[in-house]
């Protein structure tokens, strides 16, 4: 399928931001753009499931996805959230094996999708793409190692504080009194992100609320700076 001019511009813009494609010449980008197709998903729709046998790679042009693992009981564990400019599906694309995780659109999303064979052709033409892709994979592996370290060595309370630190970095606002504001999440959503049970999150949050370290304020959490005092050396 030939891309419309508007889609070409969008794909070209994002290709330039993705490490694996960043160093390509304008001419090469112009050629490779035609290998992509555009797919849209509504918020809540599944892009693919863990163990699916597809092998395409996706670049997020607009929207947001979450990458998750599902237990047989239906419990979800969120590996990561991905935003515009991020890519996913590279693992099956590289080794041809089934999908390692499920991906769901968290917002209405638009993706540029590249077939495995087209990508392998692109690598043969520009081996630089493979080196940059390796760098991105290593970064994901480092993040996964850090997560495993948290699961292995940190208590639920510490994991929760670490998650709050990340959310403050991504989206937080600091108030004049030194408190931080972040969007409120349900205990279930928090549990899915730090590999704990919903019950244990509820217990820890209740304790933090009664110690005035967290205040639930409408659709916001207000977090006391004291929450982070003991954990800094663990999470920097
Ligand atoms: P793939 O296995 O093809 O399909 C699922 C995708 O989720 C995978 O490729 C990666 O793009 C992404 N993914 C899997 N595990 C992780 C992880 N630990 N961190 C970030 N992304 C991941």
């Amino acid at each position: 399928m030939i891309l419309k001019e508007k889609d070409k511009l969008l794909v070209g813009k994002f290709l330039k931001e993705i490490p694996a494609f960043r160093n390509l010449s304008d001419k090469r980008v112009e050629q490779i753009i035609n290998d992509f197709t555009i797919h849209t998903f509504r918020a809540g729709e599944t892009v693919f499931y863990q163990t699916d046998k597809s092998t395409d790679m996706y670049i997020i042009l607009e929207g947001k996805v979450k990458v998750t693992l599902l237990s047989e009981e239906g419990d979800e564990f969120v590996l990561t959230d991905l935003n515009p400019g991020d890519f996913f599906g590279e693992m099956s694309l590289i080794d041809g094996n089934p999908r390692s995780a499920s991906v769901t659109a968290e917002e209405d999303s638009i993706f540029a999708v590249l077939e495995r064979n087209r990508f392998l052709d692109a690598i043969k033409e520009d081996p630089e793409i493979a080196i940059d892709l390796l760098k991105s994979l290593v970064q994901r592996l480092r993040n996964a190692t850090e997560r495993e370290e948290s699961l292995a060595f940190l208590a639920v309370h510490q994991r929760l504080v670490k998650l709050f630190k990340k959310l403050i970095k991504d989206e937080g606002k600091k108030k004049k009194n030194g408190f931080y504001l972040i969007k409120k999440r349900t205990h279930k959503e928090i549990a899915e992100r730090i590999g704990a049970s919903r019950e244990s999150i509820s217990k820890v949050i209740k304790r933090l609320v009664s110690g005035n370290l967290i205040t639930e304020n409408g659709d916001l959490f207000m977090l006391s700076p004291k929450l982070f005092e003991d954990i800094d050396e663990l999470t920097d």
Side-chain angles (χ1 to χ4, degrees):
M1 182 173 67
I2 305 288
L3 290 187
K4 289 187 207 131
E5 212 46 46
K6 152 172 106 43
D7 293 334
K8 268 193 187 181
L9 285 175
L10 201 58
V11 177
K13 171 174 169 283
F14 280 99
L15 281 188
K16 284 286 187 191
E17 286 173 23
I18 292 170
F21 297 98
R22 194 159 40 207
N23 295 319
L24 298 187
S25 66
D26 288 345
K27 186 160 168 264
R28 207 39 211 122
V29 169
E30 183 66 25
Q31 289 164 345
I32 208 174
I33 277 176
N34 288 315
D35 292 338
F36 283 90
T37 51
I38 299 289
H39 296 243
T40 57
F41 283 77
R42 292 233 163 257
E45 265 189 286
T46 301
V47 182
F48 53 70
Y49 287 100
Q50 188 178 357
T51 74
D52 276 3
K53 292 217 169 79
S54 54
T55 51
D56 301 338
M57 188 182 82
Y58 295 69
I59 297 172
I60 307 175
L61 302 182
E62 276 180 38
K64 185 179 178 129
V65 304
K66 62 176 176 178
V67 180
T68 59
L69 302 175
L70 264 186
S71 76
E72 283 188 4
E73 292 74 38
D75 293 328
E76 192 173 81
F77 182 54
V78 181
L79 289 169
T80 192
D81 296 303
L82 300 173
N83 297 296
D86 291 333
F87 60 85
F88 59 91
E90 77 292 350
M91 290 170 66
S92 296
L93 177 134
I94 290 169
D95 65 10
N97 283 327
R99 298 296 188 188
S100 60
S102 302
V103 176
T104 311
E106 290 188 281
E107 297 170 1
D108 291 350
S109 300
I110 307 179
F111 309 120
V113 182
L114 189 60
E115 273 177 30
R116 180 162 194 255
N117 285 337
R118 303 272 187 180
F119 190 78
L120 297 180
D121 288 344
I123 288 182
K124 280 180 206 143
E125 287 218 26
D126 297 285
E128 192 79 6
I129 293 180
I131 294 170
D132 287 327
L133 185 69
L134 272 177
K135 284 188 197 153
S136 306
L137 280 172
V138 167
Q139 185 56 51
R140 284 191 177 170
L141 186 58
R142 284 184 190 281
N143 294 345
T145 304
E146 194 187 328
R147 180 192 287 268
E148 278 179 37
E149 189 179 27
S150 293
L151 288 173
F153 299 126
L154 299 186
V156 172
H157 168 104
Q158 293 168 310
R159 279 185 244 159
L160 177 65
V161 174
K162 198 171 169 186
L163 174 71
F164 282 148
K165 269 191 102 169
K166 179 177 181 303
L167 294 174
I168 287 172
K169 207 164 146 209
D170 292 347
E171 63 176 71
K173 292 196 183 81
K174 194 168 184 179
K175 289 180 45 128
K176 282 202 183 111
N177 59 6
F179 279 64
Y180 300 96
L181 293 176
I182 58 166
K183 194 166 90 74
K184 194 164 156 181
R185 267 87 176 170
T186 65
H187 296 179
K188 181 168 173 286
E189 282 169 330
I190 293 173
E192 287 167 357
R193 280 178 157 69
I194 61 173
S197 68
R198 191 190 49 74
E199 292 76 11
S200 61
I201 297 297
S202 299
K203 231 188 262 174
V204 172
I205 290 192
K206 198 169 161 203
R207 212 171 54 224
L208 294 172
V209 168
S210 61
N212 294 322
L213 294 169
I214 300 182
T215 314
E216 299 184 87
N217 190 345
D219 57 357
L220 294 171
F221 278 137
M222 196 162 77
L223 308 174
S224 162
K226 283 195 191 141
L227 196 54
F228 307 102
E229 279 171 4
D230 302 333
I231 198 162
D232 273 352
E233 74 276 13
L234 285 167
T235 56
D236 278 340

